[in-house]
Amino acid sequence: MDRMTWQDRADLLRKKKVQHTQQKKEKNGFMDADDYGTVPMPDSFTFQAIPNHSNGGFYGPTGWSVNFEAYMKEYPVYVDPLEILCGRWRGMLIQHAKGWPQDLYPYEELKREQELYGITTGIGADSHFAGDFSIGLALGWGGLLSKVRDYRDLHGEEKKEFYDAEERIILTIQHWIGRHIEEIKRLLEEEKTPEIRETLEKMLRCNEWVIEGAPRTFLEACQWVAWFATVSRIYDRDGAGFNLDVLLLPYYERDTAAGILDDGEARFIIANLLLIDTHYYQVSGADIDGNDLTNHLSYLVLEGAHMLNISNNLTVRYHDNMDREFFHKAVEYLFIDKNGWPRFSGDTGLMNYQKNKGVTKGDARNRIAVGCNWMAVPGKEYPLNDCIKINVAKVLDIAYHQMMQGEDYSLEKLMKIFEEHLKRAVEVTAKGIDIHFKHMHKVMPELVLDLIMHGTLEKGLNISQCAQLCTVGIDGVGLGTIADSLAAIEQRIVLEKKLSWQELYKAIQSNFEGVSGERTRLMLRASERYCQGDSLGDKWAVRVSELFARLVKEQPVPEGRELIPGWFSWSSTIMFGKQVGATADGRRAFTPVTHGANPNPGFRKDGAPTSMATGIAKVQPGYGNAAPLQLEMDPHLSAQEGGVEKVMQLLKTHMDMGGTLININVLDKEKLMEAHRDPSLHPDLVVRVTGFTAYFATLSPEFRQLVVDRFVEGL
Amino acid sequence: MNNSFGMIADIQRCSTHDGPGIRTTVFLKGCNLRCAWCHNPETVDSREEWMYYPEKCIGCGLCSEGCYSGAKVLCGRKMTVEEVIRTVKLDEPYYSGGGGMTISGGEPLLQPEFTYRLLEAAKNCGIHAAIETNLTLPWKTAEPIAELCDLVMMDIKLWQADLHRKWTGGDNRNVLAGLKELSARKKPVIVRTPVIPTVNDRVEEISCIAEFAAGFDNVLYYELLPYHPLGQSKQLKEGAFKPEIFEKPDNSTMLKLASAARSYGIKVLVAGKEMRDIMDYNPKKESGWIE
């Protein structure tokens, strides 16, 4: 019988992945979130939290570490003989936590307005920053343990609880790795196939070293990363990766020079790492001087991802000096695999991070794509990115209804009231952020990620207390809804006088009831919309984005923190929409608001992606946080017909214009529609829902509809 | 003719099937031919006209005050060169990969002065300019326009003159003469034939066209465009020109025709794909790869 190839293994693993996805769906129902790389949790696994508070929750370093230790004691191991790395996660400790302890750290005085403005507060939000993996790779688990113990001795009693907790965390992780080693040994006793035995033996040797020592080889480095990624997920769902092709390059080069690694195996190891978890990794990019970082490993990363072709979150950072051949290859995989990978970030727009106080050019270059819509400087920054949002569409709704209660109506007046409310919404949000920073270390210290942050172990502090960069992201929600509403008012009431303010108000209050209401709704919807190009909607989108950015940046915050504006809704457009009544863009009450920085679906008859890409480039808030371009398209062109070059031109132009992040799906319309009607027809179809990818079949019908609605044809 | 205005049927941004790169295609309204398979019948009449989609009507009864439901849509709008070029320039940053503006129709040569001025405006902005034409009008009309074009995409729909007249209502002598003139001026040209079953889906027919086109160095390639019944979904008023319905050509026919054409030593594309890639396109599917 022929020896099993790496590709044979990848094909079998992909099939297994589809089975796992099906099992997860059967067990958990629809999953409107990232696939996360999880495998199903056996029904036999149970966990009873050990509370240290009267509400049944656990808090602080001791509470979290003791529970982590207890949780991991029986946590299932995962070793698949087809793989070369091991470990997988299934459930999170944070699912057993009880949230913010209101009795200890109340913020009652903020709640009314937080609800009024549809604020996602971020208070108590976990992770959403990036560790510096080079710290962990240099020390290994044993080195980290020594570091914890050394600093405990240095700081004495005062910081003992923190260091004891960190020690408990590392010992727990090592114990869990040890259980995997036992499982590998057991499987080796049974395994007969020579090539499987070979990789199991490699896996065994690798883990017997990695449980204690700092990784020396490419395989060990990837296994260490896999362990860290897995346990940080188990702790609190952290999904931030690193610059994969840069950080791992020395290991790759050393191994290939020593003749212990070839590209085929390296590719499979990468594929295996991407199978284990959907952490966000950046590929390529530039160094501080703008020199291209693309290298041979960058290509292997793409090839490894293609080899497996499942859900992944690789981001290619496009920059002025990028290797064009690599860019071509990255775009080509959008066409070949049609599974929503990779996505692209734009160096020009992201370098605006330098405009924030205390940020250097080097920080801006190092601030890599490690989250759904967000970037962070590994090891240095604590941004709470994607955790804090203001439903700006709701703020406009409040302003509009307030104006209509009076007798004097105008766009200027509406904008004045809107600005007052928006300013207040930002103030309230900032106060919530203060609460978080003040107490988070006592509520939920980041005991796993703290291991690889700068200054945390050295000072005995949680990252929320000692980050070098506290550039906190605040995202606005509903830009397209707002811009189109203001444009429709200007066009139909102010310029054309086809509607009066009262007629519009009546239609909105009745949720566009009856034939007359429907006619008004269609008239509003037919107004000049955001992303049509030089339209009233485009003008209003720029004005609203500038206003939001200004108010966020003007908001004073204590302790050297900075607030950074962005536009992003995550996949919560349904939830945010439920907070907002009918709007002047012809949107019915409580239906979804627009996604991220995207326009309303159907923004142009020809759906021109160029028009959308230009419109979104113009509304970038300009401080390095993202207002992503989310693009679902059927270009009606194959890669061979010049499709790759045309998509490259589209992406490049958007990023040259300052675009920060592009989440793109190149899809066959027919396949998408079939999968929408009957998801079981395409169980392996992966789509990039927002910043994350998910199996289309696992999304709820509402979510599938959102993806379908955003779809544009042509290029 | 009003020299200041053109009658525009539509402007499509981000078009990728009307020439190289990312393009903006300006569809002019009015055509001198009546091709039986026409897929843009709304561009045939040179006047404004209404298109109807009754399934979208909400029954508000206020048609005269403006229809917003999409049930009644006006096709045709008078626009100045400046207005059109402003829209074309919206996508200017995307043209650097070889893209630009394409003037299509209808038949652009029926609005020669407007077409000329629009091309001139594009050239003044440094925008690559192409034209899609049936080239049936006399060369003296085509010449000044062709001079301004970076690329001419022309149809030779049928080789035999009598069949050309039968199926399109027009003569093909100017078409063939026009290609010679373009060749004499070394103007880059793409020659195209829409392949319509029962009309021209014969090896002899396509071979004659391919052999003729192969004789000119300025022809970049010869492209076969499989028929698609797109025009049938567009509903115009009673009495408006209505195309006939044909079958879609199947894979094997297209391959046979493409192979025959290629035997004359000319580069052949089928619906944008080069001949050598065709066999890989969708080998398991007998038909439908042209959809």
Side-chain angles (χ1 to χ4, degrees):
Chain A
M1 212 169 110
D2 288 343
R3 226 177 122 85
M4 188 181 274
T5 65
W6 296 122
Q7 186 61 56
D8 292 338
R9 294 192 194 213
D11 292 343
L12 290 169
L13 290 170
R14 188 185 313 109
K15 281 184 190 154
K16 195 175 281 187
K17 176 81 187 160
V18 171
Q19 286 167 5
H20 283 157
T21 304
Q22 187 60 29
Q23 287 163 12
K24 286 193 286 183
K25 187 180 164 192
E26 282 163 13
K27 193 174 165 67
N28 307 322
F30 293 119
M31 297 171 287
D32 292 336
D34 195 302
D35 172 72
Y36 294 126
T38 53
V39 292
M41 179 68 95
D43 291 333
S44 56
F45 180 80
T46 56
F47 173 67
Q48 193 66 43
I50 305 162
N52 61 0
H53 189 271
S54 56
N55 70 358
F58 48 91
Y59 298 98
T62 304
W64 274 87
S65 61
V66 165
N67 275 278
F68 184 68
E69 183 182 40
Y71 189 56
M72 296 302 286
K73 201 170 179 183
E74 301 294 327
Y75 199 91
V77 297
Y78 190 92
V79 182
D80 184 340
L82 284 172
E83 300 182 26
I84 196 165
L85 304 173
C86 62
R88 209 72 109 244
W89 72 287
R90 311 155 189 261
M92 294 177 284
L93 178 59
I94 201 171
Q95 289 168 320
H96 301 272
K98 294 285 183 191
W100 194 262
Q102 299 285 344
D103 55 333
L104 297 177
Y105 314 116
Y107 54 93
E108 285 303 318
E109 73 283 5
L110 300 178
K111 283 189 172 168
R112 189 191 66 79
E113 286 175 294
Q114 286 172 339
E115 191 174 332
L116 178 70
Y117 297 126
I119 294 169
T120 305
T121 68
I123 298 172
D126 60 82
S127 53
H128 291 86
F129 59 101
D132 181 349
F133 275 73
S134 68
I135 295 175
L137 288 168
L139 296 177
W141 297 113
L144 286 170
L145 188 59
S146 300
K147 186 175 176 182
V148 166
R149 287 171 175 165
D150 290 347
Y151 277 105
R152 180 171 56 190
D153 293 345
L154 189 71
H155 285 286
E157 202 55 35
E158 190 195 344
K159 301 282 174 63
K160 188 170 182 305
E161 187 195 355
F162 175 79
Y163 289 113
D164 285 351
E166 290 290 16
E167 181 184 58
R168 198 173 290 119
I169 291 283
I170 297 171
L171 292 172
T172 299
I173 293 167
Q174 288 180 312
H175 181 257
W176 195 50
I177 297 172
R179 287 172 54 212
H180 282 80
I181 291 172
E182 294 311 310
E183 176 64 7
I184 300 167
K185 285 178 182 168
R186 190 188 68 75
L187 288 167
L188 263 171
E189 282 172 17
E190 295 171 358
E191 187 58 55
K192 299 281 185 284
T193 315
E195 61 268 34
I196 300 282
R197 283 193 63 83
E198 274 172 38
T199 47
L200 271 176
E201 280 162 4
K202 274 191 184 184
M203 192 192 284
L204 179 64
R205 286 196 298 276
C206 170
N207 279 285
E208 282 176 336
W209 177 265
V210 159
I211 191 170
E212 184 69 32
R216 301 160 301 182
T217 65
F218 187 72
L219 180 69
E220 288 171 2
C222 288
Q223 180 66 77
W224 195 92
V225 168
W227 285 128
F228 193 92
T230 310
V231 294
S232 68
R233 285 284 198 198
I234 293 171
Y235 186 80
D236 67 357
R237 203 180 58 121
D238 154 56
F242 54 91
N243 209 340
L244 196 58
D245 53 339
V246 175
L247 203 53
L248 295 180
L249 184 65
Y251 298 92
Y252 167 79
E253 287 180 338
R254 214 159 42 222
D255 286 7
T256 48
I260 58 169
L261 180 71
D262 61 31
D263 280 358
E265 186 171 334
R267 226 176 263 126
F268 184 73
I269 294 170
I270 291 162
N272 206 159
L273 182 61
L274 299 176
L275 173 69
I276 286 176
D277 192 284
T278 57
H279 262 50
Y280 289 85
Y281 296 109
Q282 181 174 296
V283 190
S284 187
D287 68 11
I288 188 167
D289 299 316
N291 300 310
D292 190 22
L293 290 170
T294 307
N295 58 61
H296 186 63
L297 187 56
S298 316
Y299 285 86
L300 293 182
V301 170
L302 295 186
E303 289 163 10
H306 168 64
M307 183 181 203
L308 198 58
N309 191 17
I310 59 164
S311 170
N312 78 54
N313 290 319
L314 294 177
T315 306
V316 172
R317 181 162 175 151
Y318 176 83
H319 60 98
D320 290 345
N321 300 318
M322 186 174 205
D323 175 357
R324 192 175 163 81
E325 189 193 335
F326 183 73
F327 185 34
H328 188 282
K329 183 154 182 148
V331 173
E332 196 172 34
Y333 281 125
L334 287 170
F335 283 82
I336 297 173
D337 286 5
K338 292 196 167 148
N339 263 345
W341 76 275
R343 54 187 205 148
F344 297 84
S345 63
D347 186 75
T348 301
L350 295 179
M351 288 305 285
N352 285 325
Y353 182 55
Q354 289 175 91
K355 291 182 185 168
N356 299 287
K357 267 190 296 195
V359 175
T360 65
K361 185 181 174 189
D363 291 333
R365 270 271 142 68
N366 289 334
R367 197 174 195 247
I368 58 175
V370 284
C372 186
N373 72 313
W374 56 273
M375 292 76 193
V377 185
K380 290 177 75 173
E381 187 187 1
Y382 184 65
L384 287 171
N385 274 335
D386 204 17
C387 299
I388 302 163
K389 303 196 188 303
I390 298 173
N391 189 346
V392 184
K394 187 168 190 205
V395 177
L396 180 66
D397 194 39
I398 290 163
Y400 172 72
H401 284 275
Q402 183 178 320
M403 182 183 77
M404 294 311 295
Q405 300 304 315
E407 292 176 348
D408 178 21
Y409 321 122
S410 70
L411 262 174
E412 291 69 32
K413 186 170 182 188
L414 176 59
M415 286 304 288
K416 186 169 175 291
I417 302 171
F418 174 52
E419 180 170 342
E420 287 165 4
H421 279 287
L422 193 53
K423 187 171 190 304
R424 181 63 191 155
V426 172
E427 279 168 10
V428 171
T429 307
K431 286 184 181 188
I433 293 168
D434 292 346
I435 299 275
H436 175 91
F437 271 83
K438 196 170 174 189
H439 304 294
M440 189 59 181
H441 61 287
K442 294 168 283 184
V443 176
M444 201 202 102
E446 299 280 358
L447 296 176
V448 176
L449 273 168
D450 278 347
L451 294 171
I452 57 169
M453 297 302 286
H454 294 272
T456 41
L457 295 188
E458 289 82 353
K459 295 173 186 166
L461 295 173
N462 185 43
I463 189 62
S464 59
Q465 299 168 283
C466 66
Q468 293 174 32
L469 295 165
C470 287
T471 35
V472 179
I474 299 185
D475 293 324
V477 170
L479 181 62
T481 304
I482 300 159
D484 285 358
S485 296
L486 293 166
I489 289 171
E490 181 175 9
Q491 182 174 342
R492 302 308 186 188
I493 296 178
V494 179
L495 298 175
E496 295 174 353
K497 303 192 190 324
K498 286 194 172 176
L499 276 180
S500 70
W501 285 97
Q502 284 297 355
E503 283 169 333
L504 174 65
Y505 192 46
K506 192 175 156 206
I508 282 179
Q509 281 190 307
S510 75
N511 197 18
F512 306 111
E513 197 179 62
V515 174
S516 164
E518 178 63 2
R519 186 173 193 279
T520 301
R521 193 181 78 80
L522 293 169
M523 182 198 289
L524 295 166
R525 263 196 136 33
S527 305
E528 289 187 23
R529 297 164 84 174
Y530 167 48
C531 282
Q532 279 181 340
D534 246 359
S535 67
L536 290 173
D538 285 300
K539 181 193 80 174
W540 280 108
V542 170
R543 185 168 163 188
V544 169
S545 187
E546 285 173 355
L547 172 66
F548 179 66
R550 178 169 62 77
L551 293 177
V552 169
K553 290 309 294 180
E554 284 176 358
Q555 175 62 38
V557 280
E559 295 166 7
R561 291 200 287 275
E562 279 268 293
L563 302 181
I564 310 187
W567 285 102
F568 194 59
S569 51
W570 200 62
S571 59
S572 305
T573 52
I574 296 172
M575 183 274 284
F576 284 115
K578 284 180 179 161
Q579 300 172 344
V580 187
T583 41
D585 62 338
R587 174 189 147 278
R588 290 192 191 279
F590 316 123
T591 56
V593 293
T594 50
H595 178 277
N598 268 41
N600 265 303
F603 61 99
R604 270 181 72 87
K605 193 177 68 174
D606 59 14
T610 47
S611 190
M612 188 158 112
T614 302
I616 292 176
K618 287 183 178 172
V619 300
Q620 297 295 317
Y623 291 88
N625 271 16
L629 165 63
Q630 173 77 42
L631 191 55
E632 279 73 35
M633 62 186 304
D634 184 345
H636 296 297
L637 282 172
S638 67
Q640 301 94 320
E641 290 171 295
V644 174
E645 286 75 15
K646 285 171 184 173
V647 169
M648 282 168 73
Q649 187 64 34
L650 176 74
L651 304 187
K652 176 188 177 310
T653 308
H654 176 69
M655 292 186 284
D656 286 347
M657 288 192 284
T660 39
L661 183 64
I662 302 171
N663 296 317
I664 178 168
N665 291 294
V666 170
L667 296 157
D668 289 326
K669 183 183 180 187
E670 201 177 310
K671 184 174 178 182
L672 181 70
M673 296 307 168
E674 265 180 16
H676 187 35
R677 281 193 297 275
D678 182 359
S680 66
L681 290 174
H682 300 288
D684 56 349
L685 174 64
V686 176
V687 292
R688 191 160 293 283
V689 180
T690 65
F692 65 79
T693 52
Y695 285 89
F696 195 66
T698 66
L699 298 174
S700 63
E702 294 82 7
F703 263 70
R704 295 205 303 270
Q705 187 65 49
L706 286 178
V707 174
V708 167
D709 284 347
R710 292 195 309 239
F711 188 85
V712 295
E713 286 189 73
L715 173 77
Chain B
M1 177 179 169
N2 185 333
N3 293 339
S4 308
F5 292 90
M7 179 59 82
I8 310 297
D10 199 6
I11 301 178
Q12 189 183 346
R13 289 171 62 186
C14 206
S15 160
T16 52
H17 294 278
D18 297 306
I22 292 176
R23 310 190 73 81
T24 297
T25 305
V26 182
F27 293 93
L28 302 194
K29 198 157 161 27
C31 188
N32 56 325
L33 298 185
R34 296 293 182 271
C35 302
W37 57 86
C38 178
H39 67 266
N40 281 331
E42 76 280 12
T43 65
V44 166
D45 196 313
S46 61
R47 298 162 297 183
E48 289 180 349
E49 59 191 322
W50 292 99
M51 295 167 71
Y52 298 96
Y53 301 91
E55 71 282 3
K56 293 186 179 175
C57 179
I58 60 167
C60 67
L62 297 170
C63 311
S64 59
E65 293 176 32
C67 176
Y68 301 102
S69 67
K72 183 182 163 194
V73 180
L74 184 65
C75 176
R77 181 184 163 203
K78 279 187 170 181
M79 293 178 79
T80 64
V81 168
E82 287 71 27
E83 284 174 319
V84 174
I85 210 74
R86 202 180 305 141
T87 303
V88 170
K89 284 181 77 173
L90 287 174
D91 276 352
E92 199 174 356
Y94 300 91
Y95 299 153
S96 60
M101 176 188 77
T102 297
I103 306 178
S104 182
E107 174 46 51
L109 297 186
L110 287 182
Q111 299 183 48
E113 183 145 358
F114 179 80
T115 298
Y116 182 87
R117 290 185 179 223
L118 186 54
L119 288 167
E120 194 177 49
K123 300 302 293 176
N124 287 340
C125 298
I127 295 172
H128 181 277
I131 189 169
E132 289 182 311
T133 172
N134 62 39
L135 213 59
T136 54
L137 284 122
W139 177 246
K140 67 173 195 262
T141 306
E143 184 178 11
I145 288 166
E147 289 287 354
L148 273 179
C149 289
D150 296 302
L151 173 69
V152 175
M153 289 172 275
M154 59 170 287
D155 281 4
I156 304 181
K157 300 172 198 291
L158 284 137
W159 180 253
Q160 295 178 60
D162 55 335
L163 290 179
H164 194 278
R165 190 181 300 281
K166 176 187 168 187
W167 288 107
T168 72
D171 203 306
N172 69 357
R173 274 176 301 186
N174 285 337
V175 181
L176 306 179
L179 179 54
K180 287 180 190 164
E181 297 285 358
L182 289 166
S183 176
R185 288 159 183 76
K186 302 191 184 311
K187 188 62 67 182
V189 168
I190 297 168
V191 176
R192 306 186 302 191
T193 300
V195 176
I196 321 294
T198 73
V199 174
N200 62 359
D201 60 338
R202 297 177 304 279
V203 168
E204 316 82 75
E205 189 68 38
I206 299 301
S207 294
C208 290
I209 299 171
E211 185 180 11
F212 180 69
F216 301 101
D217 291 343
N218 61 320
V219 175
L220 303 177
Y221 58 83
Y222 176 43
E223 184 171 16
L224 297 171
L225 300 167
Y227 168 76
H228 195 289
L230 186 68
Q232 296 305 318
S233 63
K234 299 169 181 174
Q235 297 187 32
L236 296 165
K237 66 179 182 211
E238 271 307 290
F241 170 66
K242 194 164 171 52
E244 295 174 30
I245 300 175
F246 297 85
E247 294 291 318
K248 289 187 220 173
D250 59 27
N251 255 358
S252 57
T253 301
M254 294 307 295
L255 287 173
K256 188 173 64 181
L257 298 178
S259 299
R262 197 168 173 234
S263 69
Y264 292 94
I266 192 170
K267 179 176 164 183
V268 177
L269 269 66
V270 175
K273 286 181 188 52
E274 216 177 323
M275 180 62 197
R276 59 189 158 80
D277 297 327
I278 292 171
M279 298 304 287
D280 300 327
Y281 188 71
N282 197 346
K284 290 180 186 163
K285 211 166 173 182
E286 179 52 32
S287 65
W289 59 284
I290 50 178
E291 287 165 4

